[in-house]
Amino acid sequence: MTTATLPAPATARRGKVTQARGLHSEWIKFRSLRSTYLTLLIAVVAMIGIALMACWAAANRWHHLPMAERAHFDPAGRSIDGYVFAQLAIGVLGVLVVTGEYATGMIRATLSAVPRRLPVLWAKLAVFGAVTLVVTSVSSLLSFFAGQSMLSSQHIQTTLSASGVPRVVFGTAIYLTLVGLFGVAMGAVTRSTPGGIASVFGMLFVLPLILHALPSSWVDNIGPYLPSNAGQALTVLHTEPHQLAPWTGCGLFAGYVAVAIVVAAVLLKRRDA
């Protein structure tokens, strides 16, 4: 009679919690969600689709436009008009990166694995920021070339090598990435999907609308310093007198995002999961 030998139980791999492993963990979570691909696809389709429509409309109405409007026509800016809609999708995805874990309760397992907590936030920001920057850069380039192909029928197109155009095209990707990072921070602050989305939309869309209800002098003096207005200075070829310089506006918007991230980090450390 022989004794059956049972296989040794599998043992979990143990190792030190490092930032690299945190990044790997967040990357797995990020790419395994169907909502990630769907939301990014919506942003890409919106950017390219709206670029095609806007530039097709401009080309077909070109001979009917007033001379003043022709003189200020911005072919590069027209071809990336879709970023206005794409920022909705990117902002929502940024919020969901954090609040999705709170909704399912997975955040407790995540913070149990990484008790120091802050590496989780840095990893989420890094993974989301890198993916968003790549996707929006490619989308912005495709939107630009698609739009210029429409405008070429009236010979009013521009090229990527023209002065200021690379800043408009890739600045749009930078702006969208900052919007997404702001969404991640607000998701960590509110820990609620509706609350996070409302916070992002309120800062980016509602504040400028409220400002327009105030005296015009307030609009000129305060408007350029609002988060969305400051960041969008990077996406126009020729800034208006009441706008901040492109990189100054981008720096200010990045400052708003940094403040939101600091608040999120402090709250993540202090609050219970």
Side-chain angles (χ1 to χ4, degrees), residues 17 105-117 120 273:
V17 177
M106 188 175 178
I107 190 67
R108 288 189 287 273
T110 299
L111 297 182
S112 297
V114 189
R116 290 169 55 201
R117 297 192 173 194
V120 174

Side-chain angles (χ1 to χ4, degrees), residues 2 34 44 47 53 82 87 94 100 113 167-168 171 192 262:
T2 59
R34 187 179 302 173
V44 172
M47 285 199 68
M53 287 192 296
Q87 66 181 333
R167 188 254 301 162
V168 171
S192 158
V262 169

Side-chain angles (χ1 to χ4, degrees), residues 51-139:
L52 287 171
M53 287 192 296
C55 292
W56 174 82
N60 279 275
R61 295 180 58 248
W62 182 251
H63 295 295
H64 303 286
L65 293 178
M67 289 302 295
E69 192 170 340
R70 290 192 194 188
H72 292 89
F73 182 71
D74 176 3
R78 186 60 60 92
S79 62
I80 49 92
D81 272 351
Y83 84 88
V84 176
F85 185 86
Q87 66 181 333
L88 302 177
I90 297 296
V92 168
L93 182 59
V95 171
L96 289 175
V97 164
V98 177
T99 60
E101 287 199 50
Y102 280 97
T104 60
M106 188 175 178
I107 190 67
R108 288 189 287 273
T110 299
L111 297 182
S112 297
V114 189
R116 290 169 55 201
R117 297 192 173 194
L118 289 187
V120 174
L121 181 60
W122 308 147
K124 287 183 183 296
L125 290 167
V127 169
F128 180 82
V131 172
T132 304
L133 184 60
V134 171
V135 171
T136 55
S137 294
V138 173
S139 302

